[in-house]
Amino acid sequence: MRLKPRPATASGTRRLARRHPAALLALFSCSTGGALAALALPAALGHTVDGLIDGGPVPWSGLLLCAVLTLAETGFDAGAAVLGTSTTARLTAHLRTRTTARVLAAEPRDALAVPTGDLTARLTARTADAAAAPVTAAGAVAGVLLPLGAVTGLLLIDPWTAAAFLLGAPLLVALLHTFTRRTADAGADYQRAQSVIAHRLTEALDGADTIRAARTGAREYRRILEPLGALADHGRRTWTVYGRAAGQSALLLPLLMLLVLAVGGLRLGAGAIGVGDLVAASRYAALAVGIGALTGALGALARSRAAARTLDPLLTLAPLPHDGLGPLPGGPGHLELRDVGVAQGGKPDGQPLLTGVCLTVPGGTSLAVVGRSGSGKSVFAAVAGRLLDPDTGTVLLDGVPLTAMDPALLRPEIAYAFARPALPGTTVGDTIAFGAWTADPEAVRAAARAARADGFIGLLPYGYATPLTDAPLSGGERQRLGLARAFAHPGRLLILDDALSGLDTVTEHHVRRALDERAGRCTRVIVAHRLSSAARADRVLWLEDGRVRATGPHEELWADPEYRAVFRTEVAEAAETGAPPPARTEVESR
């Protein structure tokens, strides 16, 4: 029975808060301590002023208490700032790691449903915004405690003075509510516009060579920056919301202060309160109107909520399901596909990408996968190595379904090379050694020789130790590094998804010979566009519109004119030069 995916995770404040409860508790304590010290200071100051006015001895104890409370408030605030910064950094690192792990554990077609640029923005800026929520919430305690405590202090000093402040309190509450709602809307729109720009920029960087060759740089520049106007509008809207809130606060808060002081002065004149009480009341009024400082915390929380909503689709991605976690049986890499079907987006009504594929690849042999563009070759390659699960049917390796194998044991047995390989690692040697296990230096050099990459690596400033940032690589050289990485991690199944397309004829010949040397030890699936690759394979899979058109040796399929039409361009070029189309020879077979 298929195991259920893990429960969906979320980027909520409570879940993040459970990661570092001690730090958040310390932050809460510092914020609360600072607020309590600030609330105690006006009362101590008022009592000290009364002692000075009475004409008695200097109230040194009162002055000392005021100094201690001032230092305590400053110390607690500094501690809260340090704790808040460090905790936010740790929570950001955790959220980025968890989100990235969730994306990597999901099927690629699910993870890549989010455009690459947008995905990058979510994994960087959005995680930082979302991770700030627990710290902001813990620190906001002081923002709430100060005005509530100050109003309580006013009530204890004189109810009439407190009533004067409470008269304008509903206006402050309405102001904060409107500010929070508008800030959340503007922040979400701003983040969406950022994601569009990031996506378009990533697309342009990926296709930089094509853009340069087509001389469409100016058009791409305009396309990338086209959402900049909307981004500016959302940014201006955000600052307009801030500006209006600040302007209304700047008008409302001084009026409240004046009203409190005016009523307090009248009560002083009537003998209802003393001078010290008026001093304390003025300080409490200043703290009470500090409720306007909550606008910053509320704005940060609104941004955090908007960012968290963009992370939730990533954190709820379902991992690749497994029917079991059994060990991988021994075998030569016998690959079998039984009635395999794949639909666009994994939906029953989606466009079929593969339909009813039934195929057996004997262990240790080579299979060339050919077909016109869009025929399903790369989808087949992804299904064969379980980068993608079929929507129908089963894929077996050495007689066991891929879904029944422990992924930690399955992954080292399958090596991939792509037309445009990613190059992780710091140095050239690191990127070849990178994989299910770290290849040793001897294996790295042997793999580079097999991929014909050792020649250009030897010309780099520091050879294999050359940083990738200092190694200008052509498309073919990048492909050779990707091939070397696959060769450095031998398993029972090697899948090349158009990984020879950037190689020149001589280099391709040597790489194909290196592949042939793995015959009997490794099953090779080669997505081929070149006639020579199909000709050298033990067997050819001919795909058309996601279906198996035919399978068999290249020599037999070559009799079909429609099969020859798949390679029409290469055949035409060979005819123009008078050379025969490539075919596998006895020498090349050995």
Side-chain angles (χ1 to χ4, degrees), residues 206-271:
D206 288 341
D209 292 339
T210 303
I211 294 171
R212 189 181 301 111
R215 298 180 182 273
T216 56
R219 187 173 66 188
E220 282 299 307
Y221 177 83
R222 290 192 298 270
R223 186 181 75 90
I224 294 169
L225 296 185
E226 183 267 334
L228 200 58
L231 187 71
D233 290 340
H234 299 320
R236 281 192 292 268
R237 201 171 103 210
T238 301
W239 286 111
T240 299
V241 172
Y242 273 103
R244 287 178 180 174
Q248 293 167 354
S249 299
L251 177 64
L252 179 60
L253 301 184
L255 289 177
L256 281 176
M257 282 289 296
L258 286 174
L259 183 59
V260 169
L261 291 176
V263 173
L266 292 175
R267 298 291 288 168
L268 175 64

Side-chain angles (χ1 to χ4, degrees), residues 209-490:
D209 292 339
T210 303
I211 294 171
R212 189 181 301 111
R215 298 180 182 273
T216 56
R219 187 173 66 188
E220 282 299 307
Y221 177 83
R222 290 192 298 270
R223 186 181 75 90
I224 294 169
L225 296 185
E226 183 267 334
L228 200 58
L231 187 71
D233 290 340
H234 299 320
R236 281 192 292 268
R237 201 171 103 210
T238 301
W239 286 111
T240 299
V241 172
Y242 273 103
R244 287 178 180 174
Q248 293 167 354
S249 299
L251 177 64
L252 179 60
L253 301 184
L255 289 177
L256 281 176
M257 282 289 296
L258 286 174
L259 183 59
V260 169
L261 291 176
V263 173
L266 292 175
R267 298 291 288 168
L268 175 64
I273 60 174
V275 175
D277 292 331
L278 181 60
V279 171
S282 65
R283 293 283 299 173
Y284 279 129
L287 293 176
V289 298
I291 192 173
L294 279 175
T295 54
L298 291 174
L301 285 173
R303 289 193 301 274
S304 295
R305 290 182 60 187
R309 283 195 293 270
T310 67
L311 294 179
D312 283 341
L314 303 180
L315 290 166
T316 54
L317 285 172
L320 277 171
H322 300 282
D323 295 326
L325 298 175
L328 191 66
H334 183 89
L335 181 66
E336 185 177 358
L337 286 80
R338 298 177 180 173
D339 197 26
V340 166
V342 178
Q344 183 75 41
K347 301 178 181 178
D349 57 346
Q351 178 184 355
L353 304 177
L354 287 179
T355 304
V357 176
C358 294
L359 180 72
T360 298
V361 185
T365 65
S366 61
L367 174 74
V369 185
V370 305
R372 291 186 173 88
S373 178
S375 61
K377 299 185 298 295
S378 291
V379 178
F380 176 89
V383 167
R386 214 192 171 199
L387 292 183
L388 175 68
D389 273 346
D391 299 306
T392 59
T394 307
V395 182
L396 301 94
L397 184 61
D398 289 319
V400 179
L402 296 185
T403 55
M405 300 179 188
D406 187 337
L409 300 176
L410 172 64
R411 192 50 54 199
E413 296 294 335
I414 302 175
Y416 266 95
F418 299 95
R420 301 176 64 183
L423 300 180
T426 304
T427 66
V428 172
D430 289 342
T431 197
I432 298 176
F434 183 87
W437 70 91
T438 301
D440 59 61
E442 183 179 348
V444 166
R445 285 171 169 77
R449 287 192 296 271
R452 305 295 288 181
D454 57 330
F456 74 82
I457 293 176
L459 299 176
L460 295 174
Y462 304 103
Y464 288 88
T466 302
L468 284 170
T469 53
D470 298 336
L473 301 173
S474 67
E477 290 169 342
R478 293 178 67 91
Q479 277 194 358
R480 279 182 270 173
L481 288 183
L483 286 165
R485 183 170 60 213
F487 290 159
H489 300 84

Side-chain angles (χ1 to χ4, degrees), residues 27 58 88 94 142 157-158 300 330 373 415 459 516 519 550:
L27 173 62
V58 177
T88 298
H94 162 72
I157 292 172
D158 181 55
S373 178
L459 299 176
D516 292 342

Side-chain angles (χ1 to χ4, degrees), residues 105-193:
E107 281 194 7
R109 64 177 169 184
D110 293 337
L112 295 179
V114 179
T116 304
D118 187 12
L119 181 62
T120 302
R122 295 189 195 192
L123 292 176
T124 53
R126 304 293 180 271
T127 49
D129 289 337
V135 171
T136 303
V141 172
V144 175
L145 185 60
L146 280 175
L148 292 179
V151 172
T152 302
L154 285 175
L155 285 170
L156 293 175
I157 292 172
D158 181 55
W160 287 101
T161 306
F165 174 80
L166 293 175
L167 187 65
L171 294 176
L172 268 180
V173 173
L175 174 63
L176 291 175
H177 178 267
T178 302
F179 169 80
T180 303
R181 177 172 51 81
R182 292 179 177 176
T183 299
D185 294 340
D189 292 340
Y190 189 88
Q191 290 174 355
R192 280 191 290 269

Side-chain angles (χ1 to χ4, degrees), residues 3 72 198 288 328 436 497 553 558 573 584:
L3 298 176
L328 191 66
D497 187 359
W558 189 252
E573 291 176 353
R584 188 175 59 174

